[in-house]
Amino acid sequence: MINILIVDDQKHIRDGLQAMLSQFPLKLDAIYCAANGIEALQLMRQTSIQLVITDIKMPDMDGLALMEHTKEERIKVDYLIISGYSDFAYAQKAISLGAKGYLLKPVKRDDLQASVEHVLQEVKTRQTLWRNMKHLSRRVKETDRKELSMYMQGAANDEAWIHQTEQLNPKLWRSYRLCLLREQLRINQPGASSANAMESIAYSVYGKRGFICLQQRPHLIFAVDAAVDPSALPAALKARQIDAVTVMSEPQQGLKALPLSYNQLIELYHHSYLFPEKSCILPLQITGLEQQWQLPYEDLYALFQLVGAKNSSKITERISMLFHRDVLQRYHIRYTQQLCRAVVQMLEEYERVIRPYMGEEALDIDCLRNLFDYPSIRDYIQALQQQLLRLNQFYYEFKCSYRNSQDLNEAIRFIYENYHKPLDLAMVSNHVSLNYTYFSNLFKKNIGKGFAEYLRDVRLDKARRLLAETEHKIVEVAAMVGYESYKSFTRAFRDVMGMQPTEYRQMMRQKVKMEEQYHDAAL
């Protein structure tokens, strides 16, 4: 951006200079005019001016006084002076104040163009250097921030780096807190993130030497001066109408304590889900939470006993009881996490039973595995309720479809209870007191596959779980799911899965290991 200001008390000179500048092959953004130094100074306070072309002698405030005022007010601008022969001493004074040159009256077109081009070339060179320095400084700061962020999250670093980093801001690292800001948004809530605004507000609260941004995504994390009142930042955010939760760790001393402080901060952040009514979460607020508990399994079983009922409102009521705020706020956040896992496990068990009848339909159980993937616990409970109600609908439709086929339902139950024993079609048909051939046709018509194939799928489904979740030997797994020989089990497993049981176990262990590494990296 290049703006030029012409200052002269004679209008015809101003107009003449402006006309000449407009005709030059110069890339200018704007040309401004002022009749004296007072007008010019006021204009420069409001507008970015790079070059001032000014007469020396003017009423009210002359050119020299204008230069002195801009120097006192630290307005960065270059000057070209216009003077007559009799004003040469004034021109020398102007040069001593930093003027880039002077032009004699009457101003000649070529002299004006050459002088202006020379000064503007200096201006552009300075602007380029400033941009390059700013870019370099930003890159250096970003590198330092990334190193600090990695160290904060557990990456190793040597004593020399720790000492050097502390010396960059010794006052802050002498006594600091970690601060996490989580914007209060709902799923599908419109509106852009206020991350930049929140960072700017934090900067204004703590100042340049009392604030370092360590992480920008997925949440803002700062190191801030521990001497500042913890309520100052939440108050500033509220004043700017930004709805965000502020989480702050205990005061720490020295950079070596940064990883420990980060772990405490993340634990506090997780607890913020239990206290949505609080805008600021401090360590003191969770010290009284109970650390021992027993999950309400009877209530869980009662909830799932309702699955398949026509009235789904009772399911909603049971979920509300299980996840009642007064209960959750009594315990450490681990209680809520364990409760969520228990519900997910029961969802999986129930879906596994009815999966053969669901066709292409399926529950999205994976979306419920991590509470902290959601903006709030309320959003998680809504997602959980949605999946439970879908399961309920599947079960209800299943029960309606087979209302007159109780014998078949009993047969399926018998298969699931006895799949690990020697079992064949004759035994199951005898159990439900149906003719062998009639039962075989009924089973295939309603289930969509023959009895032998269905029994094989049930057994292999159980086998996959045992391979993935236990250390039992392959031969033991084969016996546990009803296969009389190791060879018949491995052959059936290979036909269905396209791999040996040992290969499947290795694949699942590798998958779990990768998921754990991904989860650790995300934290």
Side-chain angles (χ1 to χ4, degrees):
M1 176 181 288
I2 300 293
N3 295 325
I4 293 181
L5 173 59
I6 300 169
V7 189
D8 198 294
D9 58 329
Q10 298 183 52
K11 186 177 186 304
H12 70 279
I13 294 179
R14 295 198 303 271
D15 293 343
L17 291 173
Q18 186 173 14
M20 283 191 284
L21 288 171
S22 300
Q23 295 169 5
F24 294 160
L26 302 172
K27 293 183 178 179
L28 303 177
D29 291 282
I31 301 173
Y32 298 91
C33 293
N36 54 54
I38 294 176
E39 288 184 15
L41 185 60
Q42 185 175 1
L43 184 63
M44 281 190 281
R45 288 168 178 163
Q46 300 171 351
T47 307
S48 175
I49 302 293
Q50 284 66 50
L51 174 60
V52 176
I53 303 173
T54 181
D55 192 5
I56 285 185
K57 287 189 174 181
M58 293 179 293
D60 299 324
M61 181 187 290
D62 62 22
L64 294 179
L66 174 62
M67 292 182 70
E68 289 174 345
H69 276 290
T70 53
K71 191 172 183 180
E72 289 173 1
E73 296 186 25
R74 297 183 179 180
I75 299 174
K76 294 181 179 180
V77 64
D78 289 321
Y79 281 91
L80 282 176
I81 301 301
I82 302 173
S83 68
Y85 284 106
S86 59
D87 300 326
F88 186 70
Y90 291 102
Q92 287 183 311
K93 174 67 173 174
I95 296 297
S96 70
L97 288 172
K100 296 296 182 180
Y102 66 92
L103 300 165
L104 292 174
K105 291 182 179 181
V107 177
K108 295 181 180 179
R109 177 188 181 90
D110 292 342
D111 292 342
L112 177 64
Q113 182 173 348
S115 298
V116 170
E117 287 179 347
H118 176 74
V119 174
L120 293 188
Q121 186 58 48
E122 285 190 20
V123 171
K124 290 178 180 178
T125 300
R126 285 201 307 270
Q127 288 178 341
T128 301
L129 286 173
W130 180 80
R131 283 194 296 268
N132 290 341
M133 290 297 293
K134 187 176 181 181
H135 178 67
L136 180 61
S137 175
R138 185 164 56 246
R139 290 185 63 181
V140 170
K141 287 181 179 179
E142 182 63 17
T143 300
D144 291 343
R145 185 190 65 78
K146 286 182 178 178
E147 286 187 344
L148 267 172
S149 179
M150 291 173 63
Y151 175 69
M152 173 182 71
Q153 296 179 53
N157 230 312
D158 54 35
E159 293 284 343
W161 177 86
I162 293 173
H163 177 73
Q164 181 182 0
T165 305
E166 278 186 335
Q167 295 311 304
L168 295 175
N169 198 340
K171 182 184 176 186
L172 174 63
W173 296 119
R174 195 175 301 123
S175 180
Y176 65 95
R177 297 177 187 267
L178 286 188
C179 171
L180 181 148
L181 292 183
R182 176 168 69 89
E183 195 168 6
Q184 294 281 63
L185 296 174
R186 297 293 178 197
I187 291 178
N188 299 325
Q189 177 178 334
S193 170
S194 302
N196 290 336
M198 291 192 293
E199 185 173 349
S200 176
I201 292 169
Y203 187 90
S204 67
V205 170
Y206 295 100
K208 182 178 181 180
R209 306 307 296 178
F211 167 88
I212 292 178
C213 181
L214 299 175
Q215 177 182 294
Q216 293 178 320
R217 294 181 181 87
H219 304 293
L220 287 168
I221 296 180
F222 311 132
V224 299
D225 186 353
V228 177
D229 187 342
S231 65
L233 181 56
L237 292 168
K238 185 177 181 181
R240 289 282 296 274
Q241 297 183 335
I242 293 179
D243 190 11
V245 173
T246 306
V247 182
M248 289 193 180
S249 68
E250 293 279 10
Q252 298 288 350
Q253 295 179 346
L255 197 57
K256 284 186 178 181
L258 186 61
L260 176 66
S261 187
Y262 174 75
N263 291 334
Q264 183 187 65
L265 185 75
I266 296 303
E267 184 181 37
L268 284 169
Y269 158 67
H270 289 166
H271 279 88
S272 70
Y273 278 70
L274 302 181
F275 303 97
E277 72 279 4
K278 295 184 181 296
S279 62
C280 184
I281 305 294
L282 299 172
L284 183 64
Q285 293 169 329
I286 70 167
T287 54
L289 297 181
E290 296 181 29
Q291 300 285 337
Q292 295 182 344
W293 54 79
Q294 286 188 341
L295 290 180
Y297 285 108
E298 291 187 5
D299 293 335
L300 275 171
Y301 297 144
L303 167 63
F304 278 86
Q305 285 296 316
L306 296 171
V307 170
K310 187 175 181 179
N311 187 1
S312 60
S313 62
K314 291 184 178 180
I315 292 178
T316 304
E317 291 174 7
R318 285 282 182 176
I319 294 173
S320 298
M321 289 172 58
L322 275 172
F323 289 90
H324 196 281
R325 183 178 64 179
D326 292 344
V327 175
L328 300 186
Q329 289 182 351
R330 286 173 51 193
Y331 302 110
H332 192 278
I333 186 63
R334 288 193 300 273
Y335 170 84
T336 302
Q337 291 176 276
Q338 290 179 12
L339 181 60
C340 293
R341 283 196 290 269
V343 174
V344 168
Q345 288 172 1
M346 294 195 72
L347 267 171
E348 289 178 318
E349 291 292 333
Y350 270 70
E351 189 216 28
R352 191 174 291 113
V353 172
I354 201 173
R355 187 178 297 160
Y357 314 100
M358 293 170 65
E360 296 182 358
E361 297 284 349
L363 299 180
D364 186 7
I365 296 179
D366 285 341
C367 76
L368 301 174
R369 298 195 187 280
N370 187 7
L371 164 64
F372 308 114
D373 286 342
Y374 291 81
S376 70
I377 195 169
R378 176 183 175 185
D379 294 302
Y380 179 86
I381 294 172
Q382 287 178 346
L384 174 63
Q385 178 176 298
Q386 181 182 19
Q387 296 304 315
L388 261 171
L389 291 178
R390 287 192 68 209
L391 178 68
N392 179 66
Q393 184 64 27
F394 285 135
Y395 262 82
Y396 179 72
E397 291 174 358
F398 166 76
K399 289 169 68 175
C400 290
S401 299
Y402 298 100
R403 185 176 298 144
N404 299 320
S405 303
Q406 295 300 318
D407 292 331
L408 186 60
N409 293 338
E410 177 59 20
I412 292 172
R413 187 193 65 78
F414 184 74
I415 292 170
Y416 270 89
E417 288 185 354
N418 297 278
Y419 68 91
H420 55 288
K421 302 175 183 178
L423 198 63
D424 58 24
L425 182 62
M427 294 172 62
V428 179
S429 62
N430 287 334
H431 176 75
V432 294
S433 302
L434 288 178
N435 174 270
Y436 180 95
T437 303
Y438 173 78
F439 176 73
S440 177
N441 293 333
L442 177 68
F443 193 95
K444 188 169 184 178
K445 177 182 177 181
N446 287 279
I447 303 304
K449 60 180 72 172
F451 169 82
E453 183 183 357
Y454 183 80
L455 177 60
R456 180 203 63 186
D457 290 347
V458 170
R459 285 172 168 172
L460 293 184
D461 188 51
K462 299 294 183 180
R464 285 195 295 270
R465 293 187 62 203
L466 290 170
L467 290 170
E469 300 174 5
T470 73
E471 299 295 331
H472 291 298
K473 296 179 180 179
I474 305 299
V475 66
E476 293 174 342
V477 172
M480 292 169 71
V481 298
Y483 281 88
E484 295 181 357
S485 74
Y486 172 82
K487 287 184 178 180
S488 61
F489 168 68
T490 55
R491 184 170 58 251
F493 194 95
R494 184 179 62 249
D495 290 343
V496 173
M497 298 300 297
M499 65 181 73
Q500 295 289 350
T502 53
E503 294 174 318
Y504 178 79
R505 171 171 275 173
Q506 292 172 356
M507 181 184 73
M508 294 305 296
R509 287 177 177 175
Q510 184 64 25
K511 180 181 177 182
V512 170
K513 184 178 179 181
M514 290 177 65
E515 288 177 349
E516 289 175 349
Q517 291 174 347
Y518 175 79
H519 179 70
D520 292 340
L523 291 178

